[in-house]
Every structure is written in C-alpha cells, then in structure tokens.
Amino acid sequence: MKEKIRILLTEQEVNEQIAKMAARISEDLAGESVHLICVLKGSIFFTCELAKRITVPVTLDFMSVSSYGDGTESSGVVRINKDLDESIAGKNVLVVEDIVDSGRTLSYLMENLGARDPKSLRLCTLLDKPDRRVTNIKVDYTGFEIPDEFVVGYGLDYAQKYRNLPFVGVVEFIEE
Ligand code: IMP
Ligand code: MG
C-alpha cells in the first residue's frame, strides 16, 4: 500500500485561522498574561504559530502524555510521560492541543490541571472531530471542525511521519 496525502486545509487557511484565534485569546485575556501548555508532540507547530501571534505576555511549558488503547482508540487511561517544569498555581493557563478526537485524553488532562489551582484554565485546539466525542469536554477555542478522517501535518503524525507538512492533509492508502 502506498500512502498519498490529500490536502484538507492549506497552510494559508491554517495560518489565517490561527491569527484569528490568537486575536480572540489576546482580547479575552487583555491586561493579563497567558501560560501556554503545549501537549507534545502534535501541538508543537500550532503552539509556535499561536504564541507568535498572541499580543499579551506569554510563558510556555510542555507536557507529554500517552493514552493506553488499541492503536486507533484512546482508552482514557493516561500516563504522564513528561510533567510540567513549573507550577501553574495562580496562572491563566491555556492548554494547546492539535486535535480533540474522543476527548478522553483531554478530559483526564483538564481534570488533572484543574486540581493544580490555576487562576483560570482554558482549552484551545486547532482541529476538532466532534462526531467522535465520547466525553463532555468544553473547548474554548476551536480552529476547524473536521470530518471523521485521519489527518496528518502541522504537527500531526501517522506512525510518527508527516508532522512537518505545512498543511493539514488526509492520509489515503492506494494499491500499488
Ligand atoms: P482522544 O483522547 O481520543 O481525544 O485522542 C486525541 C489524540 O489522538 C490526539 O492528541 C492525537 O494525538 C491523536 N489523534 C486523534 N485523531 C487523530 C488524527 O486524525 N490524526 C493524528 N492523530 C490523531
Ligand atoms: Mg495531542
């Protein structure tokens, strides 16, 4: 099987949308600062592009989590591979995600972070697949709602590949 990537969102569309999200975040947090939590590895490209466009003071931290599952489905049983370097107590925290799928991983993460006494806790995601949701999770800022297809690029991977594509694409498998 050969893999082909069909473009779903161009680099320009993604960047324009990120600029809008950054403007809204800056407006909502006017006069305050924001502590971005990048959820590794998929959110790294989105976090950089978003952070560059936010106009209130920004600090950054990174977290890495993995969810046990059968490969395509996350289970909600989450392991923290890398925790934050700094305390989030008293900070306006914004969790930056690449994609919300079932919502199981984030549901755990938001509860875990909420217990650490932040001043406020918000969630932003570049992509959302609402049809796949099994948990009740509030997303404050969504870039794009997309259909239930497996996407790569802009940080997202298929078997660790394609993270560096500057656009979001759907993986298609073709017979050779
Ligand atoms: P959830 O717990 O089901 O919401 O899992 C979310 C995680 O699954 C994301 O952070 C991604 O790492 C991964 N994921 C879900 N859908 C896709 C996709 O279409 N492409 C790449 N990774 C995905
Ligand atoms: Mg992720």
Side-chain angles (χ1 to χ4, degrees), residues 38-99:
C38 170
V39 186
L40 295 170
K41 303 171 188 163
S43 306
I44 186 158
F45 291 75
F46 176 39
T47 303
C48 294
E49 296 306 319
L50 186 73
K52 285 193 281 184
R53 293 168 173 89
I54 292 176
T55 53
V56 298
V58 170
T59 51
L60 269 180
D61 206 345
F62 299 87
M63 199 164 177
S64 170
V65 294
S66 52
S67 173
Y68 294 99
D70 64 9
T72 53
E73 287 290 324
S74 64
S75 61
V77 182
V78 176
R79 184 180 59 190
I80 296 180
N81 300 319
K82 185 221 167 294
D83 207 339
L84 300 171
D85 290 338
E86 292 147 38
S87 162
I88 57 168
K91 295 178 184 167
N92 291 308
V93 172
L94 179 65
V95 175
V96 184
E97 256 293 9
D98 47 359
I99 189 164

Side-chain angles (χ1 to χ4, degrees), residues 67 74 97-106 129 149-152 156-157:
S67 173
S74 64
E97 256 293 9
D98 47 359
I99 189 164
V100 185
D101 189 36
S102 73
R104 289 191 183 102
T105 310
L106 270 178
K129 287 185 194 169
E149 290 184 293
F150 198 83
V151 291
V152 294
L156 289 151
D157 73 303

Side-chain angles (χ1 to χ4, degrees), residues 141-159:
Y141 308 96
T142 302
F144 301 91
E145 288 194 353
I146 60 166
D148 180 13
E149 290 184 293
F150 198 83
V151 291
V152 294
Y154 227 96
L156 289 151
D157 73 303
Y158 169 66

